[in-house]
Amino acid sequence: MNRTKRLKKREYTTIRIKEDTGFSSLRQLLSYVAVLVNGDMLAMAEVETESVTWFEYWYILLEITWSKSIDRWCSLCTKYGISDPAIRKIFDDGLKIVLRARNSWPA
């Protein structure tokens, strides 16, 4: 597993977060994730895989979903140093979580 391309925590600046995900701050990004998991912080952390940490999982998912700067799967693979199937699994599994959250809310 190539972890050299991963961002270090200090590199998650407000500008970087805004460019990558569209969220104005780390607090806003994490608040949105908390809503998606219906406030279950354990569920937020359970998504960790052997390829990425829980935080990278959500960051990548939100970058795929909301960012206008990444338009190809191979760009994400290069940026994070993980395989195409791993990126697609993050996307597929993450959208299932989003749909489950949306379906649990009152109409």
Side-chain angles (χ1 to χ4, degrees), residues 5 7-8 11-24 29 55 58-71 76 79-80:
K5 295 186 185 239
L7 294 174
K8 295 177 179 68
E11 294 176 341
Y12 287 103
T13 63
T14 301
I15 294 170
R16 181 83 184 237
I17 290 167
K18 178 72 173 168
E19 289 174 354
D20 288 349
T21 66
F23 290 92
S24 61
L29 182 147
F55 181 76
W58 290 108
Y59 196 90
I60 291 168
L61 176 66
L62 296 173
E63 184 170 6
I64 294 168
T65 308
W66 295 105
S67 177
K68 303 299 181 223
S69 62
I70 296 287
D71 58 354
L76 281 165
K79 181 175 181 177
Y80 292 101

Side-chain angles (χ1 to χ4, degrees), residues 94-105:
L95 286 186
K96 288 176 189 170
I97 293 169
V98 171
L99 288 173
R100 188 171 47 239
R102 189 179 72 184
N103 290 335
S104 73
W105 300 331

Side-chain angles (χ1 to χ4, degrees), residues 5-68:
K5 295 186 185 239
R6 296 247 176 110
L7 294 174
K8 295 177 179 68
K9 185 176 181 180
R10 68 179 178 277
E11 294 176 341
Y12 287 103
T13 63
T14 301
I15 294 170
R16 181 83 184 237
I17 290 167
K18 178 72 173 168
E19 289 174 354
D20 288 349
T21 66
F23 290 92
S24 61
S25 68
L26 180 58
R27 172 177 263 163
Q28 187 182 49
L29 182 147
L30 292 175
S31 296
Y32 180 75
V33 173
V35 168
L36 292 179
V37 296
N38 290 319
D40 184 353
M41 296 303 145
L42 292 176
M44 182 188 285
E46 284 177 352
V47 296
E48 186 169 330
T49 69
E50 59 186 57
S51 302
V52 296
T53 66
W54 70 269
F55 181 76
E56 291 167 327
Y57 178 96
W58 290 108
Y59 196 90
I60 291 168
L61 176 66
L62 296 173
E63 184 170 6
I64 294 168
T65 308
W66 295 105
S67 177
K68 303 299 181 223

